[in-house]
Amino acid sequence: MSEGSKGSSLAFGQVVIGPPGSGKTTYCHGMQEFMGRIGRKVTVVNLDPANEAMPYQCAVDIAELITLPDVMENLKLGPNGGLIYCMEYLEANFDWLQEKLAAFRGHYYLFDCPGQVELYTHHDALKNVFVQLAKWNFRLAAVHLVDSHYCTDPGKFISVLCTSLSTMLHVELPHVNILSKMDLIEQYGKLAFNLDYYTEVLDLSYLVDHLASDPFFRNYRRLNEKLVEVIEDYSLVSFVPLNVQDKESMRQVMQAVDKANGYSFGDQEHRSLEALMSAAVGADFHFTSTLAVQEKYVQSQDKAVEEEVMDL
């Protein structure tokens, strides 16, 4: 990927972003394994200088260039300031990144990014890294992970929508928003509406009305209405549910990202994908159905209602 050969070939991949604890590293591990099973050569690039325990096979690690603990110790910075410094240092050392990536031509790239929200909403260092990758003929899609437990709190969900919209507008890449950890959603509490209401981001006025039933949020109804108007005016935010243990869920996410970055796979990969999807569940994969999780969640709620009726 020298300056003279940038136009010779395209490279495809994903930049995996999102707040801390949203499951970015787990997603990279799961997607690397899933794509590997259908014959796609995947290279994972760790751009998180605070990421020490990586379950996936890491081909390029920013720790070879700079680490967060070293920055915090030597420059007396906190974790947030240290992360911003690390990203600015990476931006100033594009040649290091270019040299490392050049060793994996023809691969599909997964960039595991830091979890600091400011890096995706208003700071430019990481955005400039993505711009430089585009100049090197990388065709990237941003995969923005959000923990699905925010669906159980209408106030937090509106906040997540605002953050997702701000990220989409700032990063300026084809964007796929993901509701992660769907296999755990039944542990988070009762949803006010069906799951598709949150994934498709349907009429948010219902969410404002639901918030108004809370005495605390009733005082902020006008503010919530304006926030919802901004989200609906742009009409950009929607989510794809993800359970990394569910091969159908992984397939849907992969196809959504492939559509976003323009990746087109050949017949051999298509046949491998069909074989993987039609295969019986084996010991090497423990898959459940995302739909089954949703059905189980609904059934548990129905059962709880029945028990309340019986007690009456």
Side-chain angles (χ1 to χ4, degrees):
M1 283 182 296
S2 64
E3 290 296 324
S5 63
K6 289 188 299 181
S8 60
S9 63
L10 295 176
F12 293 88
Q14 310 174 18
V15 293
V16 184
I17 62 179
S22 57
K24 296 183 295 298
T25 298
T26 301
Y27 171 87
C28 289
H29 185 205
M31 191 57 73
Q32 180 187 46
E33 182 177 350
F34 184 82
M35 289 182 172
R37 289 181 178 272
I38 62 175
R40 193 178 299 188
K41 295 180 180 179
V42 179
T43 293
V44 181
V45 180
N46 175 44
L47 294 184
D48 185 358
N51 200 353
E52 297 178 348
M54 292 173 287
Y56 49 72
Q57 296 177 2
C58 183
V60 180
D61 189 356
I62 193 177
E64 298 176 19
L65 178 69
I66 191 170
T67 65
L68 181 61
D70 288 344
V71 169
M72 293 173 62
E73 180 180 353
N74 295 327
L75 300 181
K76 308 304 179 185
L77 293 173
N80 289 344
L83 270 175
I84 290 176
Y85 180 88
C86 289
M87 293 301 100
E88 291 175 344
Y89 191 81
L90 175 63
E91 182 186 2
N93 289 272
F94 280 141
D95 54 341
W96 173 86
L97 183 61
Q98 185 179 22
E99 180 182 351
K100 290 293 183 180
L101 296 177
F104 302 96
R105 290 179 182 171
H107 287 212
Y108 187 96
Y109 297 84
L110 296 173
F111 294 89
D112 188 4
C113 298
Q116 190 175 357
V117 176
E118 300 96 299
L119 293 172
Y120 313 116
T121 55
H122 59 270
H123 195 268
D124 286 335
L126 201 54
K127 173 185 175 181
N128 293 338
V129 172
F130 301 155
V131 170
Q132 186 62 49
L133 288 170
K135 292 179 180 178
W136 293 337
N137 255 354
F138 277 78
R139 297 296 179 262
L140 301 173
V143 177
H144 183 222
L145 271 66
V146 174
D147 198 317
S148 60
H149 86 267
Y150 290 117
C151 294
T152 61
D153 187 319
K156 290 181 180 178
F157 186 67
I158 291 178
S159 176
V160 161
L161 292 174
C162 292
T163 303
S164 299
L165 178 59
S166 177
T167 300
M168 295 175 75
L169 297 175
H170 182 74
V171 173
E172 296 181 349
L173 283 174
H175 219 87
V176 179
N177 292 303
I178 304 291
L179 279 179
S180 62
K181 306 179 185 178
M182 288 302 303
D183 51 321
L184 303 176
I185 192 169
E186 60 183 340
Q187 301 178 16
Y188 295 145
K190 184 178 179 180
L191 298 179
F193 306 99
N194 289 335
L195 187 61
D196 59 351
Y197 176 87
Y198 299 92
T199 57
E200 300 301 323
V201 190
L202 301 174
D203 189 350
L204 294 177
S205 62
Y206 293 104
L207 209 58
V208 175
D209 292 339
H210 186 76
L211 273 174
S213 63
D214 187 312
F216 175 79
F217 287 105
R218 190 178 301 134
N219 298 327
Y220 300 97
R221 182 184 181 105
R222 184 64 176 164
L223 173 62
N224 290 326
E225 287 175 346
K226 289 301 180 181
L227 290 174
V228 163
E229 283 181 16
V230 171
I231 296 165
E232 292 184 328
D233 284 347
Y234 278 95
S235 190
L236 290 175
V237 184
S238 62
F239 295 94
V240 179
L242 171 66
N243 170 12
V244 293
Q245 297 296 328
D246 176 12
K247 61 182 178 181
E248 176 60 29
S249 177
M250 291 291 285
R251 181 185 68 84
Q252 291 176 358
V253 170
M254 184 188 73
Q255 291 180 336
V257 177
D258 286 348
K259 183 177 180 181
N261 65 15
Y263 180 86
S264 178
F265 53 80
D267 291 339
Q268 181 58 49
E269 186 172 318
H270 179 75
R271 288 193 293 268
S272 299
L273 179 60
E274 292 297 319
L276 175 62
M277 299 306 296
S278 62
V281 176
D284 55 340
F285 269 93
H286 177 64
F287 287 123
T288 57
S289 169
T290 302
L291 289 176
V293 171
Q294 169 68 355
E295 290 171 359
K296 184 177 179 182
Y297 175 83
V298 173
Q299 290 171 359
S300 66
Q301 298 300 321
D302 291 343
K303 184 177 180 181
V305 172
E306 291 176 1
E307 290 176 352
E308 290 178 3
V309 172
M310 292 296 293
D311 291 340
L312 293 176

